[in-house]
């Protein structure tokens, strides 16, 4: 059973092609779109404002997404939210990467095809133009990104879109082995890499 809860009669919505790890928590006004991946121990609390994960986006292990009644928290298509990041009442544009342990605060708007560096702190109300590289605490716009960098970022997002499919198809809870099997299988690129 998954950790999915209604509050005040509002029930989370999960598209059938999305994957929600059983240890993730969804509460209230949360809308999960097609092909979304929500990793272990992620917390999406729609108890003050709406949280929306659009098609093909992902939120990884240990992330916290929350908001306010004044501002929806939206991760647009192909948004990629790295391990332990925190989003609060902000807008993450199409094909944006938010790095590990980064924080994006209320009313911040991250433009499409941008990268927020690991451990960055994006302050309340910051407006980030498309194709920006943003780092630091407080965050600053460092430079514009080239298409090759955006393409590499998008490949990483496609890996998580593939992971959502792999999890839906093959992940199951099991008892551990007591020792590795002889000739133990390894993950291969044809398992991991996006399907064309």
């Amino acid at each position: 059973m998954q950790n999915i809860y209604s509050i005040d009669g509002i029930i989370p919505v999960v598209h059938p092609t999305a994957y929600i790890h059983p240890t993730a928590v969804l509460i209230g006004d949360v809308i999960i779109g097609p092909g979304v991946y929500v990793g272990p121990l992620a917390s999406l609390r729609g108890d003050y404002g709406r949280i929306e994960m659009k098609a093909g986006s992902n939120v990884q292990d240990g992330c916290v997404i929350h908001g306010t009644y004044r501002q929806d928290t939206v991760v647009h298509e192909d948004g990629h939210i790295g391990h332990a990041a925190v989003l609060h009442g902000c807008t993450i544009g199409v094909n944006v990467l938010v790095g590990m342990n980064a924080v994006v605060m209320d009313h911040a708007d991250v433009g499409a095809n941008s990268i927020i560096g690991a451990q960055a702190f994006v302050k309340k109300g910051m407006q980030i133009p498309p194709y920006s590289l943003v780092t630091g605490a407080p965050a600053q716009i460092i430079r514009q990104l080239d298409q090759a960098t955006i393409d590499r970022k998008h490949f990483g997002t496609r890996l998580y879109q593939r992971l959502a499919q792999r999890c839906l198809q093959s992940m199951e809870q099991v008892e551990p082995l007591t020792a590795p099997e002889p000739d133990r299988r390894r993950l291969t690129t044809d398992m991991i890499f996006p399907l064309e």
Side-chain angles (χ1 to χ4, degrees):
M1 182 167 168
Q2 294 187 313
N3 295 310
I4 299 177
Y5 303 93
S6 68
I7 189 167
D8 298 322
I10 300 174
I11 300 170
V13 176
V14 178
H15 192 276
T17 62
Y19 175 77
I20 311 299
H21 190 274
T23 63
V25 177
L26 307 182
I27 299 172
D29 196 2
V30 176
I31 301 171
I32 305 294
V36 169
Y37 172 86
V38 178
L41 304 174
S43 174
L44 286 72
R45 282 182 44 215
D47 50 12
Y48 286 128
R50 177 168 293 168
I51 296 168
E52 189 165 2
M53 300 289 299
K54 302 255 185 183
S57 61
N58 69 78
V59 56
Q60 298 171 21
D61 316 46
C63 290
V64 174
I65 302 181
H66 195 232
T68 73
Y69 65 91
R70 295 186 181 122
Q71 172 78 33
D72 292 348
T73 306
V74 180
V75 178
H76 282 278
E77 291 81 358
D78 297 336
H80 188 105
I81 312 304
H83 310 295
V86 176
L87 306 181
H88 201 276
C90 58
T91 301
I92 306 299
V94 171
N95 199 40
V96 165
L97 168 63
V98 176
M100 295 180 221
N101 286 301
V103 175
V104 183
M105 290 299 295
D106 300 339
H107 303 287
D109 191 339
V110 182
N113 300 302
S114 292
I115 295 177
I116 307 299
Q119 298 186 344
F121 181 81
V122 177
K123 66 182 182 178
K124 181 177 181 177
M126 186 172 184
Q127 303 297 298
I128 299 170
Y131 289 91
S132 295
L133 174 62
V134 177
T135 64
Q140 296 181 13
I141 298 169
I142 303 302
R143 64 177 170 86
Q144 290 296 106
L145 296 169
D146 60 27
Q147 192 58 50
T149 302
I150 294 303
D151 291 344
R152 284 191 301 275
K153 178 268 160 207
H154 189 65
F155 179 77
T157 300
R158 290 178 61 224
L159 288 173
Y160 272 89
Q161 292 166 348
R162 174 71 179 127
L163 182 58
Q165 295 170 351
R166 291 170 56 210
C167 290
L168 288 170
Q169 293 165 359
S170 70
M171 186 179 281
E172 57 185 86
Q173 192 167 28
V174 296
E175 291 296 322
L177 302 174
T178 57
E181 318 94 302
D183 301 320
R184 182 177 173 85
R185 288 179 55 201
R186 295 186 71 94
L187 294 169
T188 60
T189 56
D190 63 315
M191 295 175 188
I192 298 169
F193 279 20
L195 302 174
E196 294 304 321

